[in-house]
Amino acid sequence: MKTVVFGTGHVGLVTCVALSIKGHTVVGTDVDAEKIEMIRGGQPWFFEPGLEEALREQLDEGRLTFTVDPRDALGSAQVVFICVGTPPRADGEANLIAVEETARIVARHAAGPITVVEKSTVPAGTAERVKMTLSRERPDLTFEVVSNPEFLREGSGMEDALFPDRILVGAESGRGFQTMRRLYDPWIRDGVRLIETDIVSAELAKHACNAFLALKISYANALARICERAGANVRDVTTVMAADDRIGSAFLNAGIGYGGYCFPKDLVAFEYLANRLGYDFGLLREVGKINDEAVEAVAERVQEALWNLEDKRIALLGLSFKPETDDVRFSPSLALARLLIEKGATVVGYDPSASANARAELPQIEIASDPYEAARGAHCVILGTEWKEFSTLDLSRLRALTAYPVFFDGRNMFDEKQMIRAGFTYVPTGSRPVEPARRGGLNASAHRASA
Ligand SMILES: NC(=O)c1ccc[n+]([C@@H]2O[C@H](COP(=O)([O-])OP(=O)(O)OC[C@H]3O[C@@H](n4cnc5c(N)ncnc54)[C@H](O)[C@@H]3O)[C@@H](O)[C@H]2O)c1
C-alpha cells in the first residue's frame, strides 16, 4: 500500500523501514530538514541497533524515500501515519500541536479516500480532534481516522516493529479495520496477534500499559527503600515475587527508576486526562513521586558515604535512559548527575553511545572516553545505566584507579562477591552496603547511609 509517515524519529523512522521491509511503498517526512538529509544518506539521526543497516537496504530496494515536502506523496497516499512527538506541557498535558499540524497538512494535500493512523501516543479523545480538523479543513475529503498505538521499545525497536507481541487497532468502521488488516497482513500471516477495539479504548490502552509498567518499576523501588531501612535485600524479595506467575519478573528490578520519552510523560498525561474526566488517579502521582525518590535516594547515599560533595569527583557509568540507545530524554542517570552537580560534585560520565547527547543536555557534566578514564581519581563510581559492556569491566583495574573504592550499583547489575573481590565497598540498590574484610571510616559512613 502507498503510505506516508509523518515524523522520522524513534517511532517514525523504524515504522518507515518496517513497512518497507514488509513490501509497502513508504514516504517518510519530517519538519527537520537536517534529519531528512541524514536519513536520505542512509544515516539515522539516533542510534537504534540494526536500524542503519535495514534503512540502507530499504533505500536500495527503492520502496522507501524521504522528503521535507510531503505534498506530492499525499496526493497518491492510501494511508498516513502520524508519528510526530507529543511532548509534555508544564502541567503534564500532552502537547498535540504537531498532531494537529499533521492533520491540517494531510487535509490540504490528500486526494482521498485516505486512512489517517494515529501511531503517536495521544490521550483518549484525540482521534475526534483529528477528525474535526480534517473535516473543517477539507469538507469534501473522504477519510477514516484509526488509532494504532506503538509498543516498540528503544534499543530493540526494529525487532519489536517486525515481531511485535500485539498489533492494536482502534477503528469505528469496517472499512478502517479492513484497511489496517490489509496493511498488517504480512505480520498477521506471521502469527502476530491483532487486537481490534473502538478508537477511544485503543488510545486509552496505550496509556494504561505504560502507566502500569511504570507502576511495577516504582513498586520495586518503593520496596528498595524499605529493604535498605529494614536490612533486607530487594533482589531476594523481587525474586520471590517473580516466581509467582501472576506477578512475573518483568519490570520488577529496583534501580534509579524509569525514564525515556514514554513512561514519564505518558504517566503525567494519563493522570491529566483522568483529572479532566473527573477521576483523581492519585496512584499515578505516587508512581511518579517514587520514581523521583529513586534518584534522590542514590544522591543521599552518595552524600552520606562521601560527606561534603564540593570537592568530590564522581564517575557515572551510563548516561542514556536505558541501554542500547543514545536517547537521554528524561534519563534517570542524567537526573542523578544534575542533582550531584547541584550539590557541588564534579561528575565525570561515560556512555558507550549517549555522551554527545548527554553533554548537550547537561553541559556541566565532564565526559570521559572510557570507564577507566571516568574512574581515575574518582571518590566513588556509580552505575547509572546497565549497558552490557559494563558486565565485562576489569573491576580490579577500575578500583585501582579510584581515589575511594566505593561503587554504587544503581541498576543492581553486579554480583556482590565480584565487587568485594575487586576491593570495592559495594552499595547495591535496595540492600545494605557490603564491604571488603578490612575497611576504615569511609566504609563505616557507607554503612551508616543505609541505616
Ligand atoms: N520512543 C519510543 O520508544 C516510543 C514508543 C512508543 C510510542 N512512542 C510515541 O511515539 C511518538 C513519537 O515518539 P518518538 O520517540 O519517535 O519521538 P522523536 O522525537 O524521536 O520523533 C518525533 C519526530 O517528529 C518530527 N516532527 C515534529 N513535528 C512534526 C510535524 N509537524 N511534521 C512532521 N514531523 C514532525 C520531529 O522532528 C521528530 O523527528 C510520541 O507520541 C511517543 O510517545 C514513542
Side-chain angles (χ1 to χ4, degrees):
M1 295 176 88
K2 289 189 171 172
T3 62
V4 176
V5 177
F6 277 75
T8 55
H10 295 77
V11 165
L13 185 55
V14 169
T15 299
C16 287
V17 173
L19 287 169
S20 172
I21 289 174
K22 298 292 188 181
H24 297 296
T25 304
V26 188
V27 179
T29 185
D30 202 291
V31 282
D32 190 328
E34 261 178 56
K35 288 175 183 167
I36 291 292
E37 200 52 40
M38 281 184 75
I39 295 168
R40 270 185 175 153
Q43 185 63 57
W45 57 271
F46 54 92
F47 170 65
E48 182 64 48
L51 177 60
E52 186 178 334
E53 300 79 348
L55 169 66
R56 285 170 193 248
E57 268 174 35
Q58 293 312 305
L59 287 171
D60 289 345
E61 286 287 327
R63 280 191 299 275
L64 177 59
T65 53
F66 292 91
T67 179
V68 279
D69 180 358
R71 278 178 293 188
D72 282 353
L74 282 172
S76 58
Q78 297 161 284
V79 179
V80 167
F81 279 90
I82 304 178
C83 299
V84 298
T86 49
R89 295 185 193 274
D91 59 3
E93 183 185 16
N95 182 337
L96 301 175
I97 189 76
V99 174
E100 183 180 358
E101 178 62 17
T102 304
R104 217 177 283 133
I105 293 173
V106 172
R108 283 181 199 152
H109 304 292
I114 194 157
T115 302
V116 179
V117 183
E118 275 178 355
K119 198 172 248 315
S120 297
T121 303
V122 292
T126 303
E128 282 304 315
R129 294 290 186 175
V130 172
K131 273 159 58 182
M132 182 187 84
T133 305
L134 289 165
S135 37
R136 277 188 184 157
E137 294 277 336
R138 270 286 294 284
D140 64 305
L141 184 69
T142 307
F143 67 83
E144 181 95 26
V145 175
V146 307
S147 166
N148 172 220
E150 180 54 60
F151 292 101
L152 69 75
R153 299 157 298 177
E154 286 179 33
S156 55
M158 275 313 300
E159 180 85 6
D160 292 345
L162 293 171
F163 309 101
D165 51 12
R166 82 215 106 155
I167 292 170
L168 171 58
V169 172
E172 60 185 1
S173 81
R175 209 181 56 209
F177 286 121
Q178 269 161 24
T179 305
M180 297 306 282
R181 277 182 220 141
R182 253 183 81 199
L183 189 93
Y184 281 116
D185 186 56
W187 282 265
I188 295 165
R189 275 192 280 117
D190 277 351
V192 177
R193 180 174 177 201
L194 173 70
I195 303 176
E196 297 180 334
T197 67
D198 61 78
I199 297 181
V200 185
S201 301
E203 291 173 328
L204 206 136
K206 172 64 189 177
H207 270 153
C209 289
N210 277 359
F212 188 77
L213 292 173
L215 182 151
K216 262 189 112 178
I217 294 171
S218 279
Y219 192 85
N221 282 330
L223 290 178
R225 300 291 82 75
I226 298 168
C227 288
E228 284 161 10
R229 288 163 172 83
N233 186 330
V234 79
R235 280 198 249 203
D236 290 341
V237 173
T238 52
T239 299
V240 174
M241 290 176 67
D244 185 330
D245 286 344
R246 295 168 302 176
I247 298 174
S249 61
F251 289 78
L252 211 54
N253 296 328
I256 60 171
Y258 59 78
Y261 196 52
C262 290
F263 291 0
K265 79 172 175 55
D266 293 350
L267 193 83
V268 291
F270 197 23
E271 197 217 328
Y272 186 95
L273 173 80
N275 241 313
R276 199 161 56 74
L277 296 172
Y279 181 76
D280 180 18
F281 210 156
L283 178 63
L284 299 189
R285 275 197 300 286
E286 275 306 305
V287 169
K289 183 172 149 261
I290 293 166
N291 199 52
D292 293 341
E293 284 167 3
V295 168
E296 288 153 15
V298 181
E300 277 163 24
R301 286 180 118 192
V302 168
Q303 196 160 17
E304 184 61 31
L306 300 188
W307 196 10
N308 299 302
L309 291 186
E310 282 85 349
D311 55 354
K312 299 298 186 320
R313 191 177 166 83
I314 294 171
L316 180 58
L317 304 185
L319 304 170
S320 54
F321 86 90
K322 68 176 197 176
E324 301 296 327
T325 178
D326 61 358
D327 197 344
V328 296
R329 291 177 290 182
F330 300 97
S331 163
S333 185
L334 272 197
L336 176 60
R338 193 172 286 113
L339 200 56
L340 294 168
I341 289 168
E342 275 166 19
K343 289 173 183 284
T346 299
V347 176
V348 189
Y350 165 74
D351 191 281
S353 112
S355 294
N357 287 343
R359 205 200 304 263
E361 179 87 11
L362 184 63
Q364 303 95 310
I365 196 168
E366 288 181 22
I367 298 292
S369 58
D370 66 54
Y372 304 103
E373 192 196 319
R376 193 180 296 280
H379 296 93
C380 74
V381 181
I382 305 176
L383 179 85
T385 313
E386 67 279 35
W387 281 86
K388 213 187 293 160
E389 73 166 60
F390 295 145
S391 64
T392 56
L393 277 174
D394 179 342
L395 294 175
S396 301
R397 181 177 163 209
L398 198 75
R399 189 204 55 78
L401 288 164
T402 58
Y404 297 172
V406 188
F407 194 106
F408 292 86
D409 191 345
R411 296 293 178 184
N412 282 350
M413 181 179 188
F414 291 94
D415 176 52
E416 168 185 318
K417 291 196 192 81
Q418 312 172 257
M419 281 289 167
I420 297 301
R421 257 199 314 273
F424 274 114
T425 290
Y426 178 55
V427 190
T429 303
S431 56
R432 290 202 166 149
V434 196
E435 308 178 32
R438 183 212 62 80
R439 278 289 172 261
L442 172 68
N443 293 337
S445 63
H447 243 308
R448 276 200 307 276
S450 66

